[in-house]
Amino acid sequence: MVQSRQPRSKPHALVVGGTRGAGRLAVRRLVADGYRVSVLARNPPAQTKQKLRNVRYWQADLGNHASLAQALTSINEARGALDSIAFFQRFRGTSEAWHGEIETSLTGTRSLIEILVGQFNLRNAAIVIVSSVNASLISKHLPLGYHVAKAGLNQIVRYYAVALGARGIRVNSVSPGTFLKEESREVVLSNRKLVALYQRIIPLGRIGTADEVTDAVTFLASTRSSFITGQDLVVDGGLSLVFQEALARELVPIGTASRSTKK
Ligand SMILES: NC(=O)c1ccc[n+]([C@@H]2O[C@H](COP(=O)([O-])OP(=O)(O)OC[C@H]3O[C@@H](n4cnc5c(N)ncnc54)[C@H](OP(=O)(O)O)[C@@H]3O)[C@@H](O)[C@H]2O)c1
């Protein structure tokens, strides 16, 4: 089956995981930028007062190949070929974390790209995958599967950038550090100690926001980045550049500990 190319004025974007968090913001941003947006997630979005024009929702589980293929067929029939695809999904399940992370992040992303390329002859499109600084850095509060899946996504980006370049398909990733989103803003900002620490250790002096992650994604999803492919854009205020030992020295300058214990 070939992508149905209907006469249309607005570009068509697919946002995977666009019902919550940063993905939901990306949907709003893409609409503001003049896209028609198709959103894919397992559940419909929570009711919002403001209905977005040019947005349609499809339900499918990235872990279920048949439901994914069915949803992509419906999207293609209803709205035609895709110009941009952004992956924001995150495994938040209660099932076994390793399997869930690999299935939702890696296998789901690969399946969706393979269906679009194989079944719908995807061409001249931009793919953006939201990865994480945890593709290379370790956070003990996050499971092994999250780290491995994010590292794998960065390699998926490089592989497909090379493999699909001749079709005019660009593939890039955005790697955020922790960012504030609507759902977490209050709880993070009410923790003054944590906010003060972020201000101290992040070179740009504050925690980032979902808006700023979305800015990077929509740039890479648009024709403004038309000669960029296979790249990872880190959005963390510079934190991952700082050597941990330097942070330790800044928080406890050498000499202060011994001075403070002097009688
Ligand atoms: N939050 C942070 O501070 C942070 C930091 C670094 C990187 N990131 C990355 O940024 C991205 C967005 O994070 P977020 O916190 O904004 O995500 P989130 O709020 O947890 O939203 C995840 C989205 O993915 C969908 N989803 C989950 N499993 C799915 C499946 N099997 N099939 C289809 N859709 C599925 C969810 O809808 P359903 O549940 O209805 O399916 C939802 O729309 C993720 O890739 C995350 O790893 C986040």
Side-chain angles (χ1 to χ4, degrees):
M1 198 186 304
V2 173
Q3 290 188 106
S4 73
R5 283 267 169 211
Q6 300 160 357
R8 59 207 169 94
S9 48
K10 288 176 184 289
H12 180 198
L14 172 65
V15 179
V16 181
T19 54
R20 291 201 305 268
R24 182 173 50 189
L25 261 186
V27 172
R28 288 185 207 147
R29 180 67 56 83
L30 287 163
V31 169
D33 287 349
Y35 287 79
R36 293 172 302 126
V37 184
S38 298
V39 180
L40 190 143
R42 287 168 305 174
N43 305 292
Q47 288 298 329
T48 48
K49 287 179 209 144
Q50 201 191 345
K51 281 254 179 303
L52 286 171
R53 285 191 67 188
N54 294 315
V55 178
R56 284 189 59 183
Y57 294 90
W58 273 268
Q59 282 173 252
D61 186 341
L62 285 161
N64 178 331
H65 192 88
S67 96
L68 188 55
Q70 176 59 52
L72 293 174
T73 303
S74 306
I75 292 171
N76 183 57
E77 283 170 6
R79 307 195 92 190
L82 286 160
D83 301 283
S84 308
I85 301 115
F87 290 91
F88 279 88
Q89 78 275 14
R90 173 161 185 189
F91 173 69
R92 299 249 183 219
T94 47
S95 59
E96 206 262 310
W98 173 266
H99 182 74
E101 298 281 1
I102 299 299
E103 191 76 19
T104 306
S105 287
L106 281 183
T107 313
T109 301
R110 185 201 62 167
S111 299
L112 198 149
I113 294 173
E114 295 283 336
I115 294 170
L116 288 180
V117 171
Q119 221 167 306
F120 300 109
N121 193 25
L122 184 74
R123 287 184 181 276
N124 303 322
I127 297 175
V128 186
I129 297 176
V130 179
S131 182
S132 164
V133 290
N134 291 111
S136 53
L137 301 172
I138 307 304
S139 298
K140 281 195 285 184
H141 67 281
L142 293 169
L144 172 63
Y146 184 78
H147 294 80
V148 172
K150 293 300 191 186
L153 283 177
N154 287 13
Q155 194 67 331
I156 280 186
V157 164
R158 289 187 281 265
Y159 182 88
Y160 281 134
V162 173
L164 304 178
R167 289 172 161 260
I169 298 175
R170 297 183 299 107
V171 192
N172 292 289
S173 57
V174 169
S175 284
T178 299
F179 56 79
L180 293 175
K181 52 181 190 172
E182 259 171 51
E183 294 89 338
S184 63
R185 170 174 288 275
E186 240 179 82
V187 68
V188 175
L189 293 183
S190 64
N191 188 334
R192 290 192 182 176
K193 263 189 172 172
L194 182 64
V195 171
L197 194 55
Y198 278 139
Q199 285 169 350
R200 207 164 155 192
I201 66 173
I202 296 174
L204 286 180
R206 62 177 176 82
I207 186 169
T209 66
D211 268 312
E212 290 167 318
V213 173
T214 297
D215 279 339
V217 172
T218 51
F219 165 66
L220 290 171
S222 77
T223 50
R224 285 174 294 151
S225 55
S226 53
F227 206 52
I228 301 175
T229 197
Q231 303 304 307
D232 181 45
L233 186 49
V234 177
V235 181
D236 72 344
L239 183 57
S240 58
L241 300 173
V242 182
F243 182 34
Q244 290 88 332
E245 197 206 341
L247 285 180
R249 283 178 182 236
E250 193 182 318
L251 295 174
V252 186
I254 287 179
T256 53
S258 52
R259 265 204 304 278
S260 65
T261 52
K262 271 187 190 160
K263 300 237 162 108

